[in-house]
Short mmCIF file of all heavy atoms in Angstrom, two decimals:
data_model
loop_
_atom_site.label_atom_id
_atom_site.label_comp_id
_atom_site.label_asym_id
_atom_site.label_seq_id
_atom_site.Cartn_x
_atom_site.Cartn_y
_atom_site.Cartn_z
N MET A 1 100.12 126.18 129.58
CA MET A 1 100.20 124.85 130.17
C MET A 1 98.90 124.05 129.95
O MET A 1 99.01 122.80 129.47
CB MET A 1 100.25 125.05 131.71
CG MET A 1 100.35 123.78 132.57
SD MET A 1 101.87 122.89 132.16
CE MET A 1 101.59 121.43 133.04
N ASN A 2 97.80 124.63 129.80
CA ASN A 2 96.55 123.93 129.49
C ASN A 2 96.57 123.50 128.11
O ASN A 2 96.08 122.39 127.73
CB ASN A 2 95.38 124.92 129.72
CG ASN A 2 94.20 124.10 130.27
OD1 ASN A 2 94.24 122.94 130.65
ND2 ASN A 2 93.07 124.82 130.58
N ASN A 3 97.06 124.23 127.20
CA ASN A 3 97.24 123.83 125.68
C ASN A 3 97.98 122.63 125.57
O ASN A 3 97.62 121.87 124.70
CB ASN A 3 97.79 125.01 124.91
CG ASN A 3 96.64 125.90 124.35
OD1 ASN A 3 95.50 125.55 124.39
ND2 ASN A 3 97.05 127.03 123.74
N ILE A 4 99.14 122.54 126.22
CA ILE A 4 100.01 121.44 126.11
C ILE A 4 99.34 120.16 126.51
O ILE A 4 99.45 119.05 125.85
CB ILE A 4 101.26 121.58 126.99
CG1 ILE A 4 102.10 122.78 126.48
CG2 ILE A 4 102.20 120.44 127.06
CD1 ILE A 4 103.27 123.20 127.33
N VAL A 5 98.52 120.19 127.57
CA VAL A 5 97.68 118.92 128.00
C VAL A 5 96.74 118.53 126.94
O VAL A 5 96.72 117.29 126.57
CB VAL A 5 96.99 119.28 129.33
CG1 VAL A 5 96.17 118.11 129.68
CG2 VAL A 5 98.02 119.50 130.43
N PHE A 6 96.04 119.46 126.43
CA PHE A 6 95.01 119.15 125.41
C PHE A 6 95.66 118.67 124.11
O PHE A 6 95.20 117.70 123.47
CB PHE A 6 94.13 120.32 125.03
CG PHE A 6 93.07 120.56 126.13
CD1 PHE A 6 93.03 121.79 126.80
CD2 PHE A 6 92.23 119.54 126.54
CE1 PHE A 6 92.03 122.01 127.75
CE2 PHE A 6 91.26 119.87 127.44
CZ PHE A 6 91.21 120.98 128.13
N VAL A 7 96.80 119.21 123.69
CA VAL A 7 97.49 118.71 122.46
C VAL A 7 98.00 117.43 122.67
O VAL A 7 97.96 116.45 121.84
CB VAL A 7 98.64 119.77 122.08
CG1 VAL A 7 99.55 119.22 120.94
CG2 VAL A 7 97.99 121.03 121.63
N SER A 8 98.62 117.10 123.83
CA SER A 8 99.19 115.72 124.08
C SER A 8 98.07 114.75 124.16
O SER A 8 98.24 113.67 123.68
CB SER A 8 100.02 115.73 125.33
OG SER A 8 99.22 116.12 126.52
N LEU A 9 96.91 115.07 124.78
CA LEU A 9 95.80 114.16 124.77
C LEU A 9 95.30 113.90 123.45
O LEU A 9 94.96 112.82 122.99
CB LEU A 9 94.67 114.75 125.64
CG LEU A 9 94.86 114.63 127.16
CD1 LEU A 9 93.71 115.32 127.86
CD2 LEU A 9 94.89 113.17 127.58
N TYR A 10 95.30 114.94 122.57
CA TYR A 10 94.76 114.79 121.22
C TYR A 10 95.72 113.91 120.42
O TYR A 10 95.28 112.96 119.71
CB TYR A 10 94.67 116.18 120.50
CG TYR A 10 94.17 116.18 119.09
CD1 TYR A 10 92.92 115.88 118.83
CD2 TYR A 10 95.07 116.42 118.08
CE1 TYR A 10 92.46 115.93 117.46
CE2 TYR A 10 94.70 116.41 116.71
CZ TYR A 10 93.39 116.20 116.50
OH TYR A 10 93.05 116.15 115.14
N LEU A 11 97.02 114.15 120.50
CA LEU A 11 97.96 113.30 119.85
C LEU A 11 97.89 111.82 120.27
O LEU A 11 98.05 110.91 119.52
CB LEU A 11 99.40 113.88 119.97
CG LEU A 11 99.66 115.13 119.27
CD1 LEU A 11 101.05 115.71 119.55
CD2 LEU A 11 99.50 115.01 117.85
N PHE A 12 97.70 111.67 121.69
CA PHE A 12 97.59 110.26 122.12
C PHE A 12 96.34 109.56 121.59
O PHE A 12 96.40 108.45 121.18
CB PHE A 12 97.49 110.30 123.69
CG PHE A 12 97.29 109.01 124.29
CD1 PHE A 12 98.40 108.07 124.39
CD2 PHE A 12 96.01 108.62 124.76
CE1 PHE A 12 98.18 106.86 124.99
CE2 PHE A 12 95.88 107.41 125.27
CZ PHE A 12 97.00 106.45 125.40
N PHE A 13 95.28 110.38 121.54
CA PHE A 13 94.03 109.83 120.88
C PHE A 13 94.27 109.42 119.37
O PHE A 13 93.78 108.25 118.99
CB PHE A 13 92.87 110.83 121.03
CG PHE A 13 91.54 110.29 120.55
CD1 PHE A 13 90.93 109.29 121.14
CD2 PHE A 13 90.98 110.91 119.41
CE1 PHE A 13 89.70 108.84 120.73
CE2 PHE A 13 89.83 110.40 118.93
CZ PHE A 13 89.11 109.43 119.51
N ILE A 14 94.86 110.27 118.71
CA ILE A 14 95.16 109.92 117.25
C ILE A 14 96.06 108.63 117.22
O ILE A 14 95.77 107.76 116.34
CB ILE A 14 95.87 111.11 116.52
CG1 ILE A 14 94.93 112.37 116.47
CG2 ILE A 14 96.33 110.69 115.16
CD1 ILE A 14 93.66 112.04 115.66
N ALA A 15 97.05 108.60 118.00
CA ALA A 15 97.91 107.39 118.00
C ALA A 15 97.14 106.21 118.32
O ALA A 15 97.36 105.09 117.74
CB ALA A 15 99.15 107.61 118.84
N PHE A 16 96.22 106.24 119.23
CA PHE A 16 95.46 105.07 119.71
C PHE A 16 94.55 104.65 118.53
O PHE A 16 94.40 103.44 118.31
CB PHE A 16 94.62 105.61 120.96
CG PHE A 16 93.72 104.45 121.52
CD1 PHE A 16 94.33 103.44 122.22
CD2 PHE A 16 92.32 104.60 121.33
CE1 PHE A 16 93.42 102.38 122.70
CE2 PHE A 16 91.58 103.50 121.78
CZ PHE A 16 92.18 102.49 122.55
N LEU A 17 94.07 105.58 117.80
CA LEU A 17 93.06 105.28 116.64
C LEU A 17 94.01 104.58 115.66
O LEU A 17 93.52 103.53 115.04
CB LEU A 17 92.40 106.46 116.11
CG LEU A 17 91.36 107.02 117.00
CD1 LEU A 17 90.76 108.29 116.31
CD2 LEU A 17 90.15 106.03 117.16
N VAL A 18 95.08 105.03 115.31
CA VAL A 18 95.95 104.46 114.28
C VAL A 18 96.35 103.07 114.66
O VAL A 18 96.32 102.11 113.87
CB VAL A 18 97.17 105.37 114.06
CG1 VAL A 18 98.24 104.62 113.18
CG2 VAL A 18 96.86 106.69 113.36
N PHE A 19 96.75 102.81 115.97
CA PHE A 19 97.17 101.58 116.49
C PHE A 19 95.98 100.51 116.29
O PHE A 19 96.11 99.46 115.86
CB PHE A 19 97.59 101.58 117.90
CG PHE A 19 97.89 100.31 118.60
CD1 PHE A 19 99.05 99.70 118.23
CD2 PHE A 19 97.00 99.73 119.40
CE1 PHE A 19 99.36 98.49 118.74
CE2 PHE A 19 97.23 98.58 120.05
CZ PHE A 19 98.42 97.93 119.76
N ASN A 20 94.76 101.01 116.66
CA ASN A 20 93.67 100.11 116.59
C ASN A 20 93.30 99.75 115.20
O ASN A 20 92.93 98.66 114.96
CB ASN A 20 92.40 100.77 117.29
CG ASN A 20 92.38 100.59 118.77
OD1 ASN A 20 93.05 99.64 119.28
ND2 ASN A 20 91.64 101.45 119.46
N PHE A 21 93.46 100.73 114.30
CA PHE A 21 93.19 100.40 112.94
C PHE A 21 94.12 99.42 112.31
O PHE A 21 93.80 98.50 111.61
CB PHE A 21 93.28 101.71 112.07
CG PHE A 21 93.04 101.53 110.62
CD1 PHE A 21 91.79 101.36 110.10
CD2 PHE A 21 94.07 101.51 109.72
CE1 PHE A 21 91.56 101.19 108.74
CE2 PHE A 21 93.91 101.24 108.32
CZ PHE A 21 92.65 101.14 107.87
N ILE A 22 95.40 99.56 112.66
CA ILE A 22 96.39 98.56 112.24
C ILE A 22 96.19 97.14 112.80
O ILE A 22 96.25 96.16 112.05
CB ILE A 22 97.85 99.11 112.62
CG1 ILE A 22 98.19 100.27 111.86
CG2 ILE A 22 98.85 97.99 112.40
CD1 ILE A 22 99.45 101.03 112.25
N THR A 23 95.80 97.13 114.06
CA THR A 23 95.57 95.77 114.62
C THR A 23 94.35 95.16 114.05
O THR A 23 94.27 93.98 113.88
CB THR A 23 95.55 95.79 116.19
OG1 THR A 23 94.52 96.77 116.57
CG2 THR A 23 96.92 96.13 116.77
N MET A 24 93.34 95.94 113.85
CA MET A 24 92.08 95.43 113.29
C MET A 24 92.29 94.94 111.80
O MET A 24 91.75 93.91 111.41
CB MET A 24 91.00 96.54 113.20
CG MET A 24 90.30 96.76 114.58
SD MET A 24 89.14 98.16 114.59
CE MET A 24 88.40 98.10 113.01
N LYS A 25 93.14 95.63 111.03
CA LYS A 25 93.44 95.13 109.73
C LYS A 25 94.19 93.83 109.80
O LYS A 25 93.87 92.91 109.00
CB LYS A 25 94.36 96.22 109.05
CG LYS A 25 94.81 95.86 107.73
CD LYS A 25 93.73 95.92 106.64
CE LYS A 25 94.28 95.73 105.28
NZ LYS A 25 93.51 94.76 104.55
N LYS A 26 95.13 93.64 110.72
CA LYS A 26 95.81 92.35 110.82
C LYS A 26 94.82 91.25 111.27
O LYS A 26 94.97 90.15 110.70
CB LYS A 26 96.93 92.54 111.86
CG LYS A 26 98.20 93.27 111.35
CD LYS A 26 99.13 93.30 112.41
CE LYS A 26 100.44 94.16 111.96
NZ LYS A 26 101.40 94.36 113.00
N GLU A 27 94.01 91.57 112.20
CA GLU A 27 92.99 90.51 112.60
C GLU A 27 92.05 90.14 111.44
O GLU A 27 91.69 88.98 111.29
CB GLU A 27 92.17 91.05 113.82
CG GLU A 27 92.92 91.04 115.11
CD GLU A 27 92.18 91.69 116.24
OE1 GLU A 27 90.91 91.95 116.03
OE2 GLU A 27 92.72 91.69 117.36
N SER A 28 91.72 91.13 110.60
CA SER A 28 90.84 90.95 109.47
C SER A 28 91.48 89.98 108.54
O SER A 28 90.86 88.99 107.98
CB SER A 28 90.44 92.25 108.83
OG SER A 28 89.72 91.99 107.65
N ASP A 29 92.79 90.17 108.27
CA ASP A 29 93.50 89.27 107.36
C ASP A 29 93.56 87.86 107.89
O ASP A 29 93.36 86.89 107.16
CB ASP A 29 94.90 89.84 107.09
CG ASP A 29 94.93 91.12 106.30
OD1 ASP A 29 93.94 91.47 105.75
OD2 ASP A 29 95.98 91.76 106.41
N ILE A 30 93.77 87.73 109.20
CA ILE A 30 93.84 86.46 109.87
C ILE A 30 92.42 85.71 109.69
O ILE A 30 92.42 84.53 109.36
CB ILE A 30 94.21 86.49 111.32
CG1 ILE A 30 95.73 86.97 111.36
CG2 ILE A 30 94.01 85.18 112.01
CD1 ILE A 30 96.19 87.27 112.81
N TYR A 31 91.38 86.40 109.93
CA TYR A 31 90.06 85.83 109.85
C TYR A 31 89.73 85.45 108.40
O TYR A 31 89.03 84.49 108.17
CB TYR A 31 88.99 86.75 110.39
CG TYR A 31 89.02 86.84 111.89
CD1 TYR A 31 89.01 88.05 112.53
CD2 TYR A 31 89.11 85.73 112.71
CE1 TYR A 31 89.02 88.19 114.00
CE2 TYR A 31 89.09 85.74 114.06
CZ TYR A 31 89.09 87.01 114.70
OH TYR A 31 89.16 87.09 116.05
N LYS A 32 90.23 86.30 107.40
CA LYS A 32 89.95 85.89 105.97
C LYS A 32 90.72 84.57 105.67
O LYS A 32 90.05 83.72 105.04
CB LYS A 32 90.52 87.02 105.04
CG LYS A 32 89.61 88.13 105.08
CD LYS A 32 90.16 89.28 104.16
CE LYS A 32 89.26 90.59 104.26
NZ LYS A 32 89.88 91.60 103.44
N LYS A 33 91.93 84.45 106.13
CA LYS A 33 92.64 83.20 105.97
C LYS A 33 91.93 82.02 106.53
O LYS A 33 91.88 80.96 105.97
CB LYS A 33 94.10 83.34 106.38
CG LYS A 33 94.98 84.26 105.59
CD LYS A 33 96.35 84.33 106.14
CE LYS A 33 97.13 85.40 105.32
NZ LYS A 33 98.49 85.60 105.96
N LEU A 34 91.52 82.23 107.82
CA LEU A 34 90.79 81.17 108.50
C LEU A 34 89.49 80.68 107.79
O LEU A 34 89.20 79.53 107.60
CB LEU A 34 90.44 81.63 109.89
CG LEU A 34 91.43 81.35 110.99
CD1 LEU A 34 90.95 81.91 112.30
CD2 LEU A 34 91.71 79.85 111.24
N ASN A 35 88.84 81.73 107.33
CA ASN A 35 87.56 81.49 106.55
C ASN A 35 87.80 80.68 105.30
O ASN A 35 87.03 79.72 105.04
CB ASN A 35 86.87 82.79 106.28
CG ASN A 35 85.45 82.62 105.82
OD1 ASN A 35 84.85 81.52 106.12
ND2 ASN A 35 84.93 83.66 105.18
N THR A 36 88.84 80.98 104.56
CA THR A 36 89.04 80.26 103.26
C THR A 36 89.54 78.79 103.64
O THR A 36 89.16 77.93 102.95
CB THR A 36 90.21 80.91 102.49
OG1 THR A 36 91.37 81.08 103.28
CG2 THR A 36 89.81 82.22 101.91
N GLU A 37 90.33 78.60 104.73
CA GLU A 37 90.68 77.30 105.13
C GLU A 37 89.43 76.47 105.62
O GLU A 37 89.36 75.28 105.20
CB GLU A 37 91.70 77.34 106.26
CG GLU A 37 93.06 77.79 105.88
CD GLU A 37 93.78 76.95 104.82
OE1 GLU A 37 93.67 75.69 104.96
OE2 GLU A 37 94.30 77.57 103.89
N LEU A 38 88.56 77.11 106.32
CA LEU A 38 87.32 76.34 106.69
C LEU A 38 86.49 76.01 105.50
O LEU A 38 85.88 74.88 105.50
CB LEU A 38 86.55 77.20 107.64
CG LEU A 38 87.19 77.27 109.08
CD1 LEU A 38 86.29 78.31 109.89
CD2 LEU A 38 87.14 75.97 109.70
N LYS A 39 86.45 76.86 104.50
CA LYS A 39 85.59 76.67 103.27
C LYS A 39 86.18 75.36 102.56
O LYS A 39 85.44 74.55 102.16
CB LYS A 39 85.56 77.83 102.40
CG LYS A 39 84.63 78.83 102.78
CD LYS A 39 84.57 80.02 101.91
CE LYS A 39 83.67 81.06 102.44
NZ LYS A 39 83.60 82.30 101.48
N LYS A 40 87.55 75.30 102.47
CA LYS A 40 88.21 74.17 101.91
C LYS A 40 87.87 72.93 102.60
O LYS A 40 87.53 71.88 101.93
CB LYS A 40 89.71 74.36 101.83
CG LYS A 40 90.25 75.48 100.86
CD LYS A 40 91.71 75.63 100.93
CE LYS A 40 92.18 76.79 100.13
NZ LYS A 40 93.70 77.04 100.31
N GLU A 41 88.04 73.01 103.95
CA GLU A 41 87.67 71.72 104.66
C GLU A 41 86.32 71.33 104.58
O GLU A 41 85.94 70.07 104.44
CB GLU A 41 88.06 71.99 106.17
CG GLU A 41 89.52 72.05 106.45
CD GLU A 41 89.80 72.18 107.99
OE1 GLU A 41 89.02 71.89 108.78
OE2 GLU A 41 90.98 72.59 108.21
N ASN A 42 85.28 72.26 104.52
CA ASN A 42 83.90 72.00 104.34
C ASN A 42 83.68 71.30 102.99
O ASN A 42 82.98 70.32 102.94
CB ASN A 42 83.14 73.27 104.41
CG ASN A 42 81.70 73.11 104.66
OD1 ASN A 42 81.21 71.94 105.01
ND2 ASN A 42 80.83 74.04 104.38
N ASN A 43 84.42 71.94 101.94
CA ASN A 43 84.16 71.23 100.63
C ASN A 43 84.60 69.75 100.70
O ASN A 43 84.09 68.94 100.05
CB ASN A 43 84.89 72.05 99.57
CG ASN A 43 84.14 73.36 99.28
OD1 ASN A 43 82.97 73.50 99.51
ND2 ASN A 43 84.92 74.31 98.65
N LEU A 44 85.81 69.58 101.29
CA LEU A 44 86.42 68.27 101.38
C LEU A 44 85.41 67.26 102.14
O LEU A 44 85.14 66.12 101.74
CB LEU A 44 87.77 68.21 101.99
CG LEU A 44 88.87 68.80 101.24
CD1 LEU A 44 90.15 68.82 101.98
CD2 LEU A 44 89.09 67.98 99.98
N LEU A 45 84.74 67.81 103.18
CA LEU A 45 83.90 67.03 104.02
C LEU A 45 82.64 66.62 103.22
O LEU A 45 82.11 65.54 103.23
CB LEU A 45 83.48 67.77 105.24
CG LEU A 45 84.47 67.69 106.41
CD1 LEU A 45 83.98 68.68 107.57
CD2 LEU A 45 84.75 66.30 106.83
N TRP A 46 82.11 67.62 102.39
CA TRP A 46 81.01 67.33 101.57
C TRP A 46 81.26 66.34 100.47
O TRP A 46 80.44 65.47 100.20
CB TRP A 46 80.40 68.66 100.97
CG TRP A 46 79.44 69.28 101.92
CD1 TRP A 46 79.66 70.48 102.54
CD2 TRP A 46 78.22 68.71 102.42
NE1 TRP A 46 78.48 70.80 103.27
CE2 TRP A 46 77.61 69.78 103.28
CE3 TRP A 46 77.45 67.67 102.16
CZ2 TRP A 46 76.44 69.60 103.93
CZ3 TRP A 46 76.26 67.49 102.81
CH2 TRP A 46 75.77 68.44 103.71
N LYS A 47 82.46 66.30 99.89
CA LYS A 47 82.88 65.35 98.96
C LYS A 47 82.82 63.96 99.55
O LYS A 47 82.51 62.97 98.98
CB LYS A 47 84.20 65.84 98.40
CG LYS A 47 84.12 66.94 97.45
CD LYS A 47 85.46 67.29 96.79
CE LYS A 47 85.36 68.57 96.04
NZ LYS A 47 86.70 68.98 95.49
N ALA A 48 83.49 64.00 100.76
CA ALA A 48 83.50 62.68 101.54
C ALA A 48 82.18 62.15 101.81
O ALA A 48 81.87 60.95 101.67
CB ALA A 48 84.36 62.79 102.74
N VAL A 49 81.22 63.04 102.16
CA VAL A 49 79.88 62.58 102.51
C VAL A 49 79.18 62.05 101.26
O VAL A 49 78.55 61.01 101.26
CB VAL A 49 79.05 63.72 103.09
CG1 VAL A 49 77.54 63.42 103.12
CG2 VAL A 49 79.59 63.99 104.54
N GLU A 50 79.37 62.71 100.08
CA GLU A 50 78.75 62.31 98.79
C GLU A 50 79.35 60.93 98.46
O GLU A 50 78.63 60.06 97.95
CB GLU A 50 79.06 63.41 97.74
CG GLU A 50 78.23 64.74 98.00
CD GLU A 50 76.69 64.50 98.04
OE1 GLU A 50 76.25 63.64 97.19
OE2 GLU A 50 76.04 65.20 98.80
N ALA A 51 80.72 60.88 98.52
CA ALA A 51 81.30 59.53 98.20
C ALA A 51 80.72 58.43 99.09
O ALA A 51 80.47 57.31 98.62
CB ALA A 51 82.78 59.70 98.28
N PHE A 52 80.58 58.76 100.29
CA PHE A 52 80.04 57.77 101.27
C PHE A 52 78.66 57.29 100.88
O PHE A 52 78.27 56.13 100.88
CB PHE A 52 80.13 58.21 102.75
CG PHE A 52 79.55 57.26 103.73
CD1 PHE A 52 80.32 56.18 104.07
CD2 PHE A 52 78.29 57.52 104.28
CE1 PHE A 52 79.82 55.27 105.03
CE2 PHE A 52 77.88 56.64 105.27
CZ PHE A 52 78.56 55.43 105.58
N LYS A 53 77.83 58.33 100.56
CA LYS A 53 76.45 58.03 100.13
C LYS A 53 76.40 57.12 98.87
O LYS A 53 75.62 56.24 98.81
CB LYS A 53 75.63 59.31 99.88
CG LYS A 53 75.27 60.08 101.22
CD LYS A 53 74.45 61.33 100.86
CE LYS A 53 74.02 62.10 102.09
NZ LYS A 53 73.31 63.31 101.64
N GLU A 54 77.27 57.50 97.93
CA GLU A 54 77.20 56.73 96.71
C GLU A 54 77.77 55.38 96.93
O GLU A 54 77.15 54.36 96.46
CB GLU A 54 78.19 57.35 95.70
CG GLU A 54 77.73 58.63 95.12
CD GLU A 54 78.78 59.31 94.09
OE1 GLU A 54 79.76 58.65 93.80
OE2 GLU A 54 78.42 60.47 93.66
N GLU A 55 78.80 55.18 97.72
CA GLU A 55 79.29 53.79 98.09
C GLU A 55 78.20 53.04 98.79
O GLU A 55 77.93 51.83 98.60
CB GLU A 55 80.51 53.92 98.98
CG GLU A 55 81.20 52.60 99.31
CD GLU A 55 82.30 52.75 100.11
OE1 GLU A 55 83.15 53.61 99.86
OE2 GLU A 55 82.39 52.06 101.14
N ARG A 56 77.50 53.72 99.80
CA ARG A 56 76.54 52.97 100.58
C ARG A 56 75.29 52.61 99.67
O ARG A 56 74.72 51.54 99.80
CB ARG A 56 76.03 53.91 101.68
CG ARG A 56 75.20 53.27 102.63
CD ARG A 56 75.05 54.12 103.91
NE ARG A 56 74.18 53.56 104.79
CZ ARG A 56 73.50 54.02 105.77
NH1 ARG A 56 73.57 55.38 105.93
NH2 ARG A 56 72.74 53.43 106.54
N GLY A 57 74.94 53.47 98.72
CA GLY A 57 73.95 53.23 97.75
C GLY A 57 74.19 52.08 96.89
O GLY A 57 73.36 51.21 96.60
N GLU A 58 75.43 51.92 96.43
CA GLU A 58 75.86 50.82 95.57
C GLU A 58 75.86 49.55 96.46
O GLU A 58 75.54 48.51 95.95
CB GLU A 58 77.28 51.05 95.06
CG GLU A 58 77.35 52.17 94.01
CD GLU A 58 78.76 52.58 93.65
OE1 GLU A 58 79.65 51.81 94.11
OE2 GLU A 58 79.01 53.52 92.90
N ASN A 59 76.18 49.64 97.63
CA ASN A 59 76.25 48.38 98.57
C ASN A 59 74.87 47.93 98.77
O ASN A 59 74.64 46.69 98.91
CB ASN A 59 76.97 48.68 99.85
CG ASN A 59 78.53 48.76 99.59
OD1 ASN A 59 79.04 48.40 98.60
ND2 ASN A 59 79.16 49.41 100.57
N GLN A 60 73.88 48.81 98.89
CA GLN A 60 72.56 48.34 99.26
C GLN A 60 71.88 47.69 98.05
O GLN A 60 70.97 46.84 98.17
CB GLN A 60 71.72 49.59 99.68
CG GLN A 60 72.00 49.99 101.06
CD GLN A 60 71.25 51.25 101.48
OE1 GLN A 60 70.42 51.85 100.71
NE2 GLN A 60 71.44 51.69 102.69
N GLU A 61 72.27 48.08 96.89
CA GLU A 61 71.65 47.48 95.66
C GLU A 61 72.35 46.16 95.49
O GLU A 61 71.98 45.15 95.28
CB GLU A 61 72.00 48.39 94.42
CG GLU A 61 71.33 49.66 94.43
CD GLU A 61 71.65 50.50 93.23
OE1 GLU A 61 72.48 50.04 92.36
OE2 GLU A 61 71.21 51.66 93.16
#
């Protein structure tokens, strides 16, 4: 009887670790996609800032 309890707890622990690994992998993929999107937006913002600086510099001359 005692062995059955320990084996079931062990199997539950293994299943819990596998489930956490799978969900962490999915979250990691989501964060990677978000990071690439943020980098794209950041690049666009910097291009807009540079264009604004150039336009402003031309207007001041």
Side-chain angles (χ1 to χ4, degrees):
M1 181 64 186
N2 218 3
N3 266 350
I4 295 172
V5 171
F6 283 123
V7 168
S8 61
L9 283 175
Y10 180 73
L11 290 176
F12 177 76
F13 181 70
I14 295 296
F16 181 72
L17 288 178
V18 169
F19 175 76
N20 279 339
F21 179 76
I22 291 170
T23 55
M24 281 173 39
K25 176 73 175 133
K26 287 181 184 177
E27 287 177 2
S28 175
D29 291 343
I30 290 171
Y31 288 130
K32 284 179 186 175
K33 288 178 186 175
L34 274 175
N35 195 19
T36 55
E37 291 298 319
L38 286 174
K39 284 181 181 177
K40 288 178 188 175
E41 288 183 20
N42 194 18
N43 286 339
L44 288 175
L45 284 173
W46 275 113
K47 287 179 184 176
V49 166
E50 292 298 321
F52 178 74
K53 284 182 181 178
E54 288 178 9
E55 181 180 314
R56 192 169 176 201
E58 291 173 3
N59 288 343
Q60 286 178 354
E61 292 176 1

